[in-house]
Amino acid sequence: MVSLSPLARRVLSYVPFVLVLVDLRYEGVSCGKGGSVESHLEMGKKLLAAGQLADALSHFHSAVEGDPKNYMAFYRRATVYFAMGKSKSALPDLSKLRSNPSEKDEEEAHGQLKKADEIQRIVVEARADFERKDYSTAIALLDKVIETCIWDVESRELRAECFIQLGEMGKAISDLKAASKLRNDNTQAFYKLSTIYYNLGDHEMSLNEVRECLKLDPDHKQCFSHYKQVKKLNKQILSAEELIQQQRYGEAVSKYESVMKTEPNVLQYRLTAKERICHCLSKDQQGAKGISVCSEVLKSDPHNVKVLKDRAEAYLQDEQYEEAIKDFETAKEHSENDRQIKEGLERAQRLLKQSQRRDYYKILGVKRNAQKKEIIKAYRKLAQQWHPDNFQDPEDKKRAEKKFIDIAQAKEVLTDPEKRSKFDQGEDPLDPESQHGGGHHNHFHGAWESFQGYNPFGSGPFNFKFNFN
């Protein structure tokens, strides 16, 4: 066993704090053989600060070999050994505190020990504050410790716990990442990082961190159990997103429902699943269902631009144009340069204006997503009902003639893909104003032609006269 002087033993009791503070004594001392030793010390210090312990140790080895009387080199190397958890390797370097130090060295060592005493006192106080759940005060004290002892893993981990308790997860992540680098077998830091990311809803980062834990210890019980859960959830989410890319929206909805069953306790995954289900229902022309699911998400996240856009589309499908306009306008407030929002808002405004005039879907009594077969069936039924020959009273006949023309025009527009597309965008292909020119006579004549040759009873041309005055 290495024999240490009483002073060295006292120094050892304050590791790692004194190892940092001793640096102050030798910071400006030139080293033995020119600048080579000094450069090794400086490079080692930078690597140590960056958490690259193995590389730092290599430079401090070179510094010791270059100048065996340079105490700074020994202290630096001991610091790295302790950071790596190799306390036995650090003892010989600490023994360089000579049994009979000079008066100057003795005075300097006691000065550093006094500073170490202060750091130790702050750490004890910070732990007491942590136990009292006074996390903010504990953080303020630990800030002082870490500012001086940048490689003190335990202080960083304690500060991370304080941040977790205060809900400041970004800061906790920063400290835990540093702790995972400063201690090369720090499985617990990786486990905590993975759980934080998981609870934040970042399943991919969670999976990355828990894999790092298992690289260090494949049999780590906590990490392995957590890994199975994250992997299953990650697979379901990726599968659901692939289905959305393939426009298989119904299957994607089922997959996201499975996500909520796999993880029922973390709110973020439920909100994400609901957000994507809202998107799928909107794309799948299921307006009423889409509105319900989207509204549920917006209760928790009222400024979610993606959901506002999806609910606006669902409102359009459900012919709630004013509500769609409100959602597009709210989305625009939070994303002014989104072209999709601008176009959606303009379309919703056109459709609202259109609905206040005439709506071919309403005339035929069909949904906006009706197939051509449904449209023709509805047209034939209404054409039979409103055939002017069915009415004897002049006023009733006149009203029937107008209704019959509307029905014929609706069929003309909705069975023509190009005209229907224009109408769905808020433009009436039979309206001169909507077309920015053209005469009403031509549109009426086209409608006349379209129904004059059609007899829903299959008995030839109509045998009545129209009066248009």
Side-chain angles (χ1 to χ4, degrees), residues 22-23 26 31 37-38 40-41 56-57 59-81 93-94 96:
V22 170
D23 290 354
Y26 298 99
C31 300
V37 172
E38 183 65 32
H40 280 302
L41 286 172
L57 185 62
H59 280 281
F60 293 143
H61 281 323
S62 298
V64 168
E65 291 172 3
D67 185 1
K69 294 182 179 181
N70 188 307
Y71 292 106
M72 173 52 57
F74 290 108
Y75 281 121
R76 294 280 191 189
R77 190 166 68 176
T79 299
V80 179
Y81 279 135
D93 285 349
L94 289 174
K96 296 301 177 180

PDB file of all heavy atoms in Angstrom, residues 22-23 26 31 37-38 40-41 56-57 59-81 93-94 96:
ATOM      1  N   VAL A  22      -6.334  22.923  -6.372  1.00  0.00           N
ATOM      2  CA  VAL A  22      -4.872  22.942  -6.433  1.00  0.00           C
ATOM      3  C   VAL A  22      -4.383  23.515  -7.747  1.00  0.00           C
ATOM      4  O   VAL A  22      -3.305  24.084  -7.833  1.00  0.00           O
ATOM      5  CB  VAL A  22      -4.326  21.519  -6.208  1.00  0.00           C
ATOM      6  CG1 VAL A  22      -2.836  21.443  -6.500  1.00  0.00           C
ATOM      7  CG2 VAL A  22      -4.567  21.105  -4.759  1.00  0.00           C
ATOM      8  N   ASP A  23      -5.214  23.410  -8.789  1.00  0.00           N
ATOM      9  CA  ASP A  23      -4.837  23.960 -10.094  1.00  0.00           C
ATOM     10  C   ASP A  23      -4.472  25.423  -9.996  1.00  0.00           C
ATOM     11  O   ASP A  23      -3.642  25.931 -10.740  1.00  0.00           O
ATOM     12  CB  ASP A  23      -5.986  23.820 -11.093  1.00  0.00           C
ATOM     13  CG  ASP A  23      -6.200  22.378 -11.485  1.00  0.00           C
ATOM     14  OD1 ASP A  23      -5.400  21.536 -11.068  1.00  0.00           O
ATOM     15  OD2 ASP A  23      -7.164  22.118 -12.219  1.00  0.00           O
ATOM     16  N   TYR A  26      -0.732  26.241  -9.586  1.00  0.00           N
ATOM     17  CA  TYR A  26       0.235  25.942 -10.639  1.00  0.00           C
ATOM     18  C   TYR A  26      -0.181  26.458 -11.998  1.00  0.00           C
ATOM     19  O   TYR A  26       0.438  26.147 -12.991  1.00  0.00           O
ATOM     20  CB  TYR A  26       0.453  24.424 -10.711  1.00  0.00           C
ATOM     21  CG  TYR A  26       1.021  23.870  -9.430  1.00  0.00           C
ATOM     22  CD1 TYR A  26       0.177  23.256  -8.502  1.00  0.00           C
ATOM     23  CD2 TYR A  26       2.375  23.970  -9.152  1.00  0.00           C
ATOM     24  CE1 TYR A  26       0.701  22.744  -7.323  1.00  0.00           C
ATOM     25  CE2 TYR A  26       2.897  23.455  -7.973  1.00  0.00           C
ATOM     26  CZ  TYR A  26       2.064  22.852  -7.050  1.00  0.00           C
ATOM     27  OH  TYR A  26       2.557  22.349  -5.901  1.00  0.00           O
ATOM     28  N   CYS A  31       6.788  24.715 -17.180  1.00  0.00           N
ATOM     29  CA  CYS A  31       7.109  23.322 -16.921  1.00  0.00           C
ATOM     30  C   CYS A  31       8.421  22.936 -17.577  1.00  0.00           C
ATOM     31  O   CYS A  31       8.629  23.204 -18.755  1.00  0.00           O
ATOM     32  CB  CYS A  31       6.000  22.414 -17.430  1.00  0.00           C
ATOM     33  SG  CYS A  31       4.421  22.769 -16.642  1.00  0.00           S
ATOM     34  N   VAL A  37       5.782  20.194 -22.150  1.00  0.00           N
ATOM     35  CA  VAL A  37       5.035  19.741 -20.970  1.00  0.00           C
ATOM     36  C   VAL A  37       3.829  20.639 -20.747  1.00  0.00           C
ATOM     37  O   VAL A  37       2.724  20.177 -20.465  1.00  0.00           O
ATOM     38  CB  VAL A  37       5.949  19.722 -19.717  1.00  0.00           C
ATOM     39  CG1 VAL A  37       5.132  19.454 -18.455  1.00  0.00           C
ATOM     40  CG2 VAL A  37       7.045  18.672 -19.879  1.00  0.00           C
ATOM     41  N   GLU A  38       4.055  21.940 -20.870  1.00  0.00           N
ATOM     42  CA  GLU A  38       2.966  22.900 -20.692  1.00  0.00           C
ATOM     43  C   GLU A  38       1.847  22.654 -21.698  1.00  0.00           C
ATOM     44  O   GLU A  38       0.654  22.720 -21.358  1.00  0.00           O
ATOM     45  CB  GLU A  38       3.508  24.325 -20.860  1.00  0.00           C
ATOM     46  CG  GLU A  38       2.466  25.417 -20.624  1.00  0.00           C
ATOM     47  CD  GLU A  38       1.976  25.438 -19.189  1.00  0.00           C
ATOM     48  OE1 GLU A  38       2.768  25.115 -18.285  1.00  0.00           O
ATOM     49  OE2 GLU A  38       0.788  25.754 -18.982  1.00  0.00           O
ATOM     50  N   HIS A  40       1.086  19.814 -23.133  1.00  0.00           N
ATOM     51  CA  HIS A  40       0.381  18.594 -22.746  1.00  0.00           C
ATOM     52  C   HIS A  40      -0.617  18.876 -21.620  1.00  0.00           C
ATOM     53  O   HIS A  40      -1.749  18.363 -21.635  1.00  0.00           O
ATOM     54  CB  HIS A  40       1.371  17.514 -22.296  1.00  0.00           C
ATOM     55  CG  HIS A  40       2.021  16.778 -23.430  1.00  0.00           C
ATOM     56  ND1 HIS A  40       1.286  16.094 -24.385  1.00  0.00           N
ATOM     57  CD2 HIS A  40       3.340  16.620 -23.769  1.00  0.00           C
ATOM     58  CE1 HIS A  40       2.114  15.541 -25.247  1.00  0.00           C
ATOM     59  NE2 HIS A  40       3.366  15.856 -24.921  1.00  0.00           N
ATOM     60  N   LEU A  41      -0.186  19.695 -20.662  1.00  0.00           N
ATOM     61  CA  LEU A  41      -1.089  20.045 -19.556  1.00  0.00           C
ATOM     62  C   LEU A  41      -2.300  20.820 -20.055  1.00  0.00           C
ATOM     63  O   LEU A  41      -3.438  20.567 -19.638  1.00  0.00           O
ATOM     64  CB  LEU A  41      -0.334  20.878 -18.511  1.00  0.00           C
ATOM     65  CG  LEU A  41       0.655  20.120 -17.625  1.00  0.00           C
ATOM     66  CD1 LEU A  41       1.461  21.095 -16.775  1.00  0.00           C
ATOM     67  CD2 LEU A  41      -0.073  19.120 -16.732  1.00  0.00           C
ATOM     68  N   ALA A  56      -7.430  12.815 -22.192  1.00  0.00           N
ATOM     69  CA  ALA A  56      -6.825  13.720 -21.211  1.00  0.00           C
ATOM     70  C   ALA A  56      -5.746  12.995 -20.415  1.00  0.00           C
ATOM     71  O   ALA A  56      -4.654  13.532 -20.168  1.00  0.00           O
ATOM     72  CB  ALA A  56      -7.908  14.262 -20.275  1.00  0.00           C
ATOM     73  N   LEU A  57      -6.048  11.744 -20.020  1.00  0.00           N
ATOM     74  CA  LEU A  57      -5.088  10.960 -19.241  1.00  0.00           C
ATOM     75  C   LEU A  57      -3.797  10.753 -20.023  1.00  0.00           C
ATOM     76  O   LEU A  57      -2.686  10.826 -19.470  1.00  0.00           O
ATOM     77  CB  LEU A  57      -5.715   9.611 -18.892  1.00  0.00           C
ATOM     78  CG  LEU A  57      -4.894   8.700 -17.977  1.00  0.00           C
ATOM     79  CD1 LEU A  57      -4.660   9.352 -16.623  1.00  0.00           C
ATOM     80  CD2 LEU A  57      -5.595   7.353 -17.812  1.00  0.00           C
ATOM     81  N   HIS A  59      -2.401  12.725 -22.220  1.00  0.00           N
ATOM     82  CA  HIS A  59      -1.589  13.959 -22.201  1.00  0.00           C
ATOM     83  C   HIS A  59      -0.942  14.184 -20.836  1.00  0.00           C
ATOM     84  O   HIS A  59       0.202  14.648 -20.748  1.00  0.00           O
ATOM     85  CB  HIS A  59      -2.464  15.154 -22.579  1.00  0.00           C
ATOM     86  CG  HIS A  59      -2.677  15.287 -24.056  1.00  0.00           C
ATOM     87  ND1 HIS A  59      -1.729  15.819 -24.897  1.00  0.00           N
ATOM     88  CD2 HIS A  59      -3.716  14.915 -24.845  1.00  0.00           C
ATOM     89  CE1 HIS A  59      -2.170  15.803 -26.149  1.00  0.00           C
ATOM     90  NE2 HIS A  59      -3.392  15.254 -26.145  1.00  0.00           N
ATOM     91  N   PHE A  60      -1.659  13.834 -19.757  1.00  0.00           N
ATOM     92  CA  PHE A  60      -1.078  14.022 -18.430  1.00  0.00           C
ATOM     93  C   PHE A  60       0.041  13.009 -18.173  1.00  0.00           C
ATOM     94  O   PHE A  60       1.014  13.305 -17.471  1.00  0.00           O
ATOM     95  CB  PHE A  60      -2.158  13.931 -17.350  1.00  0.00           C
ATOM     96  CG  PHE A  60      -3.152  15.071 -17.411  1.00  0.00           C
ATOM     97  CD1 PHE A  60      -4.490  14.860 -17.147  1.00  0.00           C
ATOM     98  CD2 PHE A  60      -2.731  16.355 -17.733  1.00  0.00           C
ATOM     99  CE1 PHE A  60      -5.402  15.904 -17.203  1.00  0.00           C
ATOM    100  CE2 PHE A  60      -3.627  17.412 -17.790  1.00  0.00           C
ATOM    101  CZ  PHE A  60      -4.968  17.177 -17.535  1.00  0.00           C
ATOM    102  N   HIS A  61      -0.074  11.804 -18.750  1.00  0.00           N
ATOM    103  CA  HIS A  61       1.041  10.846 -18.704  1.00  0.00           C
ATOM    104  C   HIS A  61       2.283  11.474 -19.337  1.00  0.00           C
ATOM    105  O   HIS A  61       3.388  11.398 -18.778  1.00  0.00           O
ATOM    106  CB  HIS A  61       0.687   9.569 -19.477  1.00  0.00           C
ATOM    107  CG  HIS A  61      -0.201   8.620 -18.738  1.00  0.00           C
ATOM    108  ND1 HIS A  61      -0.102   8.400 -17.384  1.00  0.00           N
ATOM    109  CD2 HIS A  61      -1.206   7.808 -19.183  1.00  0.00           C
ATOM    110  CE1 HIS A  61      -1.003   7.501 -17.012  1.00  0.00           C
ATOM    111  NE2 HIS A  61      -1.699   7.126 -18.091  1.00  0.00           N
ATOM    112  N   SER A  62       2.097  12.090 -20.493  1.00  0.00           N
ATOM    113  CA  SER A  62       3.228  12.707 -21.208  1.00  0.00           C
ATOM    114  C   SER A  62       3.826  13.846 -20.400  1.00  0.00           C
ATOM    115  O   SER A  62       5.052  14.049 -20.388  1.00  0.00           O
ATOM    116  CB  SER A  62       2.763  13.218 -22.573  1.00  0.00           C
ATOM    117  OG  SER A  62       2.296  12.146 -23.375  1.00  0.00           O
ATOM    118  N   ALA A  63       2.967  14.620 -19.720  1.00  0.00           N
ATOM    119  CA  ALA A  63       3.450  15.736 -18.911  1.00  0.00           C
ATOM    120  C   ALA A  63       4.291  15.237 -17.740  1.00  0.00           C
ATOM    121  O   ALA A  63       5.346  15.813 -17.419  1.00  0.00           O
ATOM    122  CB  ALA A  63       2.271  16.558 -18.396  1.00  0.00           C
ATOM    123  N   VAL A  64       3.834  14.148 -17.094  1.00  0.00           N
ATOM    124  CA  VAL A  64       4.584  13.574 -15.968  1.00  0.00           C
ATOM    125  C   VAL A  64       5.936  13.050 -16.449  1.00  0.00           C
ATOM    126  O   VAL A  64       6.977  13.252 -15.803  1.00  0.00           O
ATOM    127  CB  VAL A  64       3.766  12.442 -15.302  1.00  0.00           C
ATOM    128  CG1 VAL A  64       4.651  11.657 -14.328  1.00  0.00           C
ATOM    129  CG2 VAL A  64       2.568  13.018 -14.582  1.00  0.00           C
ATOM    130  N   GLU A  65       5.953  12.374 -17.581  1.00  0.00           N
ATOM    131  CA  GLU A  65       7.206  11.853 -18.126  1.00  0.00           C
ATOM    132  C   GLU A  65       8.148  12.990 -18.518  1.00  0.00           C
ATOM    133  O   GLU A  65       9.374  12.893 -18.352  1.00  0.00           O
ATOM    134  CB  GLU A  65       6.920  10.987 -19.344  1.00  0.00           C
ATOM    135  CG  GLU A  65       6.210   9.672 -19.009  1.00  0.00           C
ATOM    136  CD  GLU A  65       5.764   8.920 -20.253  1.00  0.00           C
ATOM    137  OE1 GLU A  65       6.067   9.400 -21.369  1.00  0.00           O
ATOM    138  OE2 GLU A  65       5.101   7.874 -20.116  1.00  0.00           O
ATOM    139  N   GLY A  66       7.574  14.082 -18.987  1.00  0.00           N
ATOM    140  CA  GLY A  66       8.394  15.213 -19.411  1.00  0.00           C
ATOM    141  C   GLY A  66       9.008  15.981 -18.258  1.00  0.00           C
ATOM    142  O   GLY A  66      10.091  16.561 -18.395  1.00  0.00           O
ATOM    143  N   ASP A  67       8.316  15.982 -17.107  1.00  0.00           N
ATOM    144  CA  ASP A  67       8.824  16.728 -15.953  1.00  0.00           C
ATOM    145  C   ASP A  67       8.348  16.033 -14.676  1.00  0.00           C
ATOM    146  O   ASP A  67       7.299  16.365 -14.128  1.00  0.00           O
ATOM    147  CB  ASP A  67       8.335  18.167 -15.992  1.00  0.00           C
ATOM    148  CG  ASP A  67       8.934  19.012 -14.870  1.00  0.00           C
ATOM    149  OD1 ASP A  67       9.734  18.455 -14.096  1.00  0.00           O
ATOM    150  OD2 ASP A  67       8.580  20.203 -14.766  1.00  0.00           O
ATOM    151  N   PRO A  68       9.114  15.039 -14.192  1.00  0.00           N
ATOM    152  CA  PRO A  68       8.697  14.258 -13.012  1.00  0.00           C
ATOM    153  C   PRO A  68       8.584  15.079 -11.732  1.00  0.00           C
ATOM    154  O   PRO A  68       8.069  14.573 -10.733  1.00  0.00           O
ATOM    155  CB  PRO A  68       9.810  13.208 -12.880  1.00  0.00           C
ATOM    156  CG  PRO A  68      10.450  13.143 -14.228  1.00  0.00           C
ATOM    157  CD  PRO A  68      10.366  14.525 -14.783  1.00  0.00           C
ATOM    158  N   LYS A  69       9.053  16.335 -11.738  1.00  0.00           N
ATOM    159  CA  LYS A  69       8.962  17.169 -10.541  1.00  0.00           C
ATOM    160  C   LYS A  69       7.806  18.172 -10.615  1.00  0.00           C
ATOM    161  O   LYS A  69       7.648  19.008  -9.728  1.00  0.00           O
ATOM    162  CB  LYS A  69      10.284  17.928 -10.341  1.00  0.00           C
ATOM    163  CG  LYS A  69      11.458  17.022 -10.025  1.00  0.00           C
ATOM    164  CD  LYS A  69      12.706  17.848  -9.785  1.00  0.00           C
ATOM    165  CE  LYS A  69      13.886  16.923  -9.445  1.00  0.00           C
ATOM    166  NZ  LYS A  69      15.125  17.708  -9.186  1.00  0.00           N
ATOM    167  N   ASN A  70       7.018  18.090 -11.675  1.00  0.00           N
ATOM    168  CA  ASN A  70       5.911  19.040 -11.860  1.00  0.00           C
ATOM    169  C   ASN A  70       4.673  18.508 -11.132  1.00  0.00           C
ATOM    170  O   ASN A  70       4.028  17.571 -11.584  1.00  0.00           O
ATOM    171  CB  ASN A  70       5.625  19.201 -13.366  1.00  0.00           C
ATOM    172  CG  ASN A  70       4.624  20.311 -13.628  1.00  0.00           C
ATOM    173  OD1 ASN A  70       3.547  20.320 -13.058  1.00  0.00           O
ATOM    174  ND2 ASN A  70       5.007  21.230 -14.502  1.00  0.00           N
ATOM    175  N   TYR A  71       4.382  19.130  -9.980  1.00  0.00           N
ATOM    176  CA  TYR A  71       3.264  18.637  -9.176  1.00  0.00           C
ATOM    177  C   TYR A  71       1.916  18.809  -9.886  1.00  0.00           C
ATOM    178  O   TYR A  71       1.005  18.020  -9.676  1.00  0.00           O
ATOM    179  CB  TYR A  71       3.250  19.357  -7.819  1.00  0.00           C
ATOM    180  CG  TYR A  71       4.425  18.969  -6.962  1.00  0.00           C
ATOM    181  CD1 TYR A  71       5.496  19.841  -6.773  1.00  0.00           C
ATOM    182  CD2 TYR A  71       4.464  17.704  -6.377  1.00  0.00           C
ATOM    183  CE1 TYR A  71       6.574  19.484  -6.014  1.00  0.00           C
ATOM    184  CE2 TYR A  71       5.556  17.334  -5.604  1.00  0.00           C
ATOM    185  CZ  TYR A  71       6.611  18.219  -5.420  1.00  0.00           C
ATOM    186  OH  TYR A  71       7.693  17.843  -4.668  1.00  0.00           O
ATOM    187  N   MET A  72       1.819  19.833 -10.720  1.00  0.00           N
ATOM    188  CA  MET A  72       0.551  20.050 -11.443  1.00  0.00           C
ATOM    189  C   MET A  72       0.209  18.837 -12.311  1.00  0.00           C
ATOM    190  O   MET A  72      -0.951  18.419 -12.390  1.00  0.00           O
ATOM    191  CB  MET A  72       0.660  21.302 -12.319  1.00  0.00           C
ATOM    192  CG  MET A  72      -0.530  21.525 -13.248  1.00  0.00           C
ATOM    193  SD  MET A  72      -2.122  21.500 -12.439  1.00  0.00           S
ATOM    194  CE  MET A  72      -1.922  22.763 -11.218  1.00  0.00           C
ATOM    195  N   ALA A  73       1.222  18.239 -12.935  1.00  0.00           N
ATOM    196  CA  ALA A  73       0.985  17.074 -13.791  1.00  0.00           C
ATOM    197  C   ALA A  73       0.418  15.919 -12.968  1.00  0.00           C
ATOM    198  O   ALA A  73      -0.510  15.216 -13.399  1.00  0.00           O
ATOM    199  CB  ALA A  73       2.274  16.656 -14.485  1.00  0.00           C
ATOM    200  N   PHE A  74       0.970  15.720 -11.755  1.00  0.00           N
ATOM    201  CA  PHE A  74       0.473  14.640 -10.908  1.00  0.00           C
ATOM    202  C   PHE A  74      -0.964  14.901 -10.446  1.00  0.00           C
ATOM    203  O   PHE A  74      -1.798  13.993 -10.419  1.00  0.00           O
ATOM    204  CB  PHE A  74       1.399  14.455  -9.699  1.00  0.00           C
ATOM    205  CG  PHE A  74       2.733  13.877 -10.056  1.00  0.00           C
ATOM    206  CD1 PHE A  74       3.889  14.659 -10.032  1.00  0.00           C
ATOM    207  CD2 PHE A  74       2.845  12.536 -10.431  1.00  0.00           C
ATOM    208  CE1 PHE A  74       5.124  14.123 -10.363  1.00  0.00           C
ATOM    209  CE2 PHE A  74       4.071  11.995 -10.761  1.00  0.00           C
ATOM    210  CZ  PHE A  74       5.215  12.790 -10.736  1.00  0.00           C
ATOM    211  N   TYR A  75      -1.230  16.138 -10.061  1.00  0.00           N
ATOM    212  CA  TYR A  75      -2.575  16.473  -9.612  1.00  0.00           C
ATOM    213  C   TYR A  75      -3.592  16.297 -10.743  1.00  0.00           C
ATOM    214  O   TYR A  75      -4.688  15.778 -10.543  1.00  0.00           O
ATOM    215  CB  TYR A  75      -2.631  17.911  -9.071  1.00  0.00           C
ATOM    216  CG  TYR A  75      -2.094  18.052  -7.676  1.00  0.00           C
ATOM    217  CD1 TYR A  75      -1.027  18.908  -7.418  1.00  0.00           C
ATOM    218  CD2 TYR A  75      -2.650  17.336  -6.623  1.00  0.00           C
ATOM    219  CE1 TYR A  75      -0.516  19.041  -6.133  1.00  0.00           C
ATOM    220  CE2 TYR A  75      -2.148  17.463  -5.337  1.00  0.00           C
ATOM    221  CZ  TYR A  75      -1.073  18.318  -5.095  1.00  0.00           C
ATOM    222  OH  TYR A  75      -0.574  18.448  -3.839  1.00  0.00           O
ATOM    223  N   ARG A  76      -3.213  16.758 -11.918  1.00  0.00           N
ATOM    224  CA  ARG A  76      -4.116  16.616 -13.071  1.00  0.00           C
ATOM    225  C   ARG A  76      -4.403  15.133 -13.356  1.00  0.00           C
ATOM    226  O   ARG A  76      -5.525  14.726 -13.594  1.00  0.00           O
ATOM    227  CB  ARG A  76      -3.492  17.246 -14.314  1.00  0.00           C
ATOM    228  CG  ARG A  76      -3.319  18.742 -14.256  1.00  0.00           C
ATOM    229  CD  ARG A  76      -4.602  19.438 -14.560  1.00  0.00           C
ATOM    230  NE  ARG A  76      -4.403  20.864 -14.768  1.00  0.00           N
ATOM    231  CZ  ARG A  76      -5.376  21.745 -14.883  1.00  0.00           C
ATOM    232  NH1 ARG A  76      -6.627  21.331 -14.803  1.00  0.00           N
ATOM    233  NH2 ARG A  76      -5.132  23.016 -15.064  1.00  0.00           N
ATOM    234  N   ARG A  77      -3.355  14.347 -13.349  1.00  0.00           N
ATOM    235  CA  ARG A  77      -3.525  12.931 -13.656  1.00  0.00           C
ATOM    236  C   ARG A  77      -4.375  12.242 -12.585  1.00  0.00           C
ATOM    237  O   ARG A  77      -5.227  11.411 -12.891  1.00  0.00           O
ATOM    238  CB  ARG A  77      -2.156  12.246 -13.777  1.00  0.00           C
ATOM    239  CG  ARG A  77      -2.283  10.828 -14.335  1.00  0.00           C
ATOM    240  CD  ARG A  77      -0.932  10.288 -14.759  1.00  0.00           C
ATOM    241  NE  ARG A  77      -0.044  10.044 -13.607  1.00  0.00           N
ATOM    242  CZ  ARG A  77       1.166   9.503 -13.723  1.00  0.00           C
ATOM    243  NH1 ARG A  77       1.641   9.175 -14.915  1.00  0.00           N
ATOM    244  NH2 ARG A  77       1.920   9.325 -12.657  1.00  0.00           N
ATOM    245  N   ALA A  78      -4.147  12.611 -11.323  1.00  0.00           N
ATOM    246  CA  ALA A  78      -4.967  12.059 -10.241  1.00  0.00           C
ATOM    247  C   ALA A  78      -6.434  12.433 -10.423  1.00  0.00           C
ATOM    248  O   ALA A  78      -7.339  11.620 -10.165  1.00  0.00           O
ATOM    249  CB  ALA A  78      -4.453  12.567  -8.897  1.00  0.00           C
ATOM    250  N   THR A  79      -6.654  13.642 -10.890  1.00  0.00           N
ATOM    251  CA  THR A  79      -8.030  14.097 -11.126  1.00  0.00           C
ATOM    252  C   THR A  79      -8.741  13.200 -12.136  1.00  0.00           C
ATOM    253  O   THR A  79      -9.879  12.785 -11.936  1.00  0.00           O
ATOM    254  CB  THR A  79      -8.012  15.540 -11.669  1.00  0.00           C
ATOM    255  OG1 THR A  79      -7.415  16.382 -10.700  1.00  0.00           O
ATOM    256  CG2 THR A  79      -9.433  16.033 -11.944  1.00  0.00           C
ATOM    257  N   VAL A  80      -8.044  12.884 -13.217  1.00  0.00           N
ATOM    258  CA  VAL A  80      -8.636  12.032 -14.252  1.00  0.00           C
ATOM    259  C   VAL A  80      -8.890  10.634 -13.709  1.00  0.00           C
ATOM    260  O   VAL A  80      -9.945  10.036 -13.949  1.00  0.00           O
ATOM    261  CB  VAL A  80      -7.735  11.964 -15.498  1.00  0.00           C
ATOM    262  CG1 VAL A  80      -8.351  11.060 -16.553  1.00  0.00           C
ATOM    263  CG2 VAL A  80      -7.528  13.354 -16.075  1.00  0.00           C
ATOM    264  N   TYR A  81      -7.923  10.116 -12.943  1.00  0.00           N
ATOM    265  CA  TYR A  81      -8.113   8.780 -12.364  1.00  0.00           C
ATOM    266  C   TYR A  81      -9.381   8.727 -11.503  1.00  0.00           C
ATOM    267  O   TYR A  81     -10.162   7.782 -11.583  1.00  0.00           O
ATOM    268  CB  TYR A  81      -6.908   8.393 -11.508  1.00  0.00           C
ATOM    269  CG  TYR A  81      -5.718   7.870 -12.295  1.00  0.00           C
ATOM    270  CD1 TYR A  81      -4.412   8.311 -12.021  1.00  0.00           C
ATOM    271  CD2 TYR A  81      -5.890   6.905 -13.289  1.00  0.00           C
ATOM    272  CE1 TYR A  81      -3.319   7.819 -12.716  1.00  0.00           C
ATOM    273  CE2 TYR A  81      -4.797   6.418 -14.001  1.00  0.00           C
ATOM    274  CZ  TYR A  81      -3.520   6.877 -13.713  1.00  0.00           C
ATOM    275  OH  TYR A  81      -2.442   6.380 -14.415  1.00  0.00           O
ATOM    276  N   ASP A  93       0.002   9.292  -7.236  1.00  0.00           N
ATOM    277  CA  ASP A  93       0.183  10.694  -7.628  1.00  0.00           C
ATOM    278  C   ASP A  93      -0.051  11.623  -6.437  1.00  0.00           C
ATOM    279  O   ASP A  93       0.649  12.625  -6.270  1.00  0.00           O
ATOM    280  CB  ASP A  93      -0.772  11.045  -8.760  1.00  0.00           C
ATOM    281  CG  ASP A  93      -0.316  10.460 -10.088  1.00  0.00           C
ATOM    282  OD1 ASP A  93       0.824   9.978 -10.159  1.00  0.00           O
ATOM    283  OD2 ASP A  93      -1.113  10.490 -11.044  1.00  0.00           O
ATOM    284  N   LEU A  94      -1.037  11.266  -5.594  1.00  0.00           N
ATOM    285  CA  LEU A  94      -1.287  12.090  -4.417  1.00  0.00           C
ATOM    286  C   LEU A  94      -0.132  12.015  -3.412  1.00  0.00           C
ATOM    287  O   LEU A  94       0.100  12.943  -2.638  1.00  0.00           O
ATOM    288  CB  LEU A  94      -2.587  11.654  -3.733  1.00  0.00           C
ATOM    289  CG  LEU A  94      -3.882  11.986  -4.468  1.00  0.00           C
ATOM    290  CD1 LEU A  94      -5.070  11.378  -3.755  1.00  0.00           C
ATOM    291  CD2 LEU A  94      -4.063  13.490  -4.587  1.00  0.00           C
ATOM    292  N   LYS A  96       2.754  12.400  -3.943  1.00  0.00           N
ATOM    293  CA  LYS A  96       3.769  13.396  -4.283  1.00  0.00           C
ATOM    294  C   LYS A  96       3.694  14.615  -3.367  1.00  0.00           C
ATOM    295  O   LYS A  96       4.563  15.478  -3.403  1.00  0.00           O
ATOM    296  CB  LYS A  96       3.620  13.841  -5.744  1.00  0.00           C
ATOM    297  CG  LYS A  96       3.857  12.703  -6.747  1.00  0.00           C
ATOM    298  CD  LYS A  96       5.233  12.104  -6.606  1.00  0.00           C
ATOM    299  CE  LYS A  96       5.425  10.922  -7.555  1.00  0.00           C
ATOM    300  NZ  LYS A  96       6.768  10.327  -7.412  1.00  0.00           N
TER     301      LYS A  96
END
